[in-house]
Amino acid sequence: VLAAGPAIAHVGHGSTASFTAGLGHPLGGLDHVTVMVMVGLWAGLKGGRAIWVWPAVFVGVMLVGGVVGMEGVPVPFVEPGILASVVALGLLVALAVDLPVAVGAGILAVFALFHGHAHGSEVADTLNGVEYMAGFALATAALHLAGIGFAATMTHFSLRPAIRVVGALCLPIGAGLYAGVF
């Protein structure tokens, strides 16, 4: 994981000059879609306050990471951290790991910093960059909601194991990202 190359969702992959570009960008990166849905699934599995705390922490810290990236402040291990987030969050969902809300928020904050920095470093420290990050944050929150909605639906129909199966799919996705297949 420490030797991972780019997750192919970052610099040079599309426009970063508008709200619309920011809104669309997260939907085109397998690493981002996977992690954001996993945040929602894990929050849905946990239930209670995690349903709003974990996504809010992720989006908030991701925006902080975006500002850090926009300012050009280096953060080590960004790409390996993003790859690790795919696998780790998939495992947390697949194993239905039940952590205290604060501990889960801390884990998500670390991964959010990596995701935010990667995307923030690709935009200029201008109004266009701010618009891009706003669109990016909104799309991220929508992906969290999709995960929460799927978890709620599966729980309602007594199909909670399906949530864990979706989490397990992150292992081959992570391997594919590492190998450059995706």
Side-chain angles (χ1 to χ4, degrees):
V1 167
L2 292 177
I8 314 303
H10 310 129
V11 178
H13 299 317
S15 171
T16 60
S18 69
F19 176 81
T20 305
L23 196 60
H25 186 86
L27 306 175
L30 184 58
D31 63 322
H32 197 82
V33 170
T34 303
V35 169
M36 298 319 119
V37 171
M38 288 305 112
V39 169
L41 289 177
W42 194 34
L45 279 172
K46 174 70 175 169
R49 290 180 356 157
I51 289 175
W52 66 269
V53 170
W54 289 353
V57 164
F58 197 100
V59 171
V61 174
M62 184 187 71
L63 288 171
V64 169
V67 170
V68 170
M70 288 169 74
E71 293 297 321
V73 176
V75 171
F77 306 115
V78 169
E79 294 296 337
I82 290 170
L83 179 60
S85 72
V86 172
V87 175
L89 288 171
L91 284 171
L92 289 167
V93 170
L95 300 173
V97 176
D98 185 15
L99 297 175
V101 173
V103 174
I107 291 168
L108 293 173
V110 171
F111 292 141
L113 180 68
F114 292 140
H115 281 267
H117 187 276
H119 292 283
S121 63
E122 69 186 1
V123 299
D125 185 11
T126 65
L127 180 58
N128 286 344
V130 172
E131 289 176 10
Y132 174 83
M133 290 305 291
F136 190 81
L138 184 59
T140 295
L143 290 167
H144 291 329
L145 286 173
I148 292 167
F150 181 80
T153 301
M154 294 300 103
T155 299
H156 177 75
F157 289 107
S158 300
L159 297 171
R160 280 178 70 94
I163 301 167
R164 297 176 69 181
V165 169
V166 173
L169 293 174
C170 289
L171 300 176
I173 290 171
L177 287 168
Y178 179 75
V181 174
F182 299 121

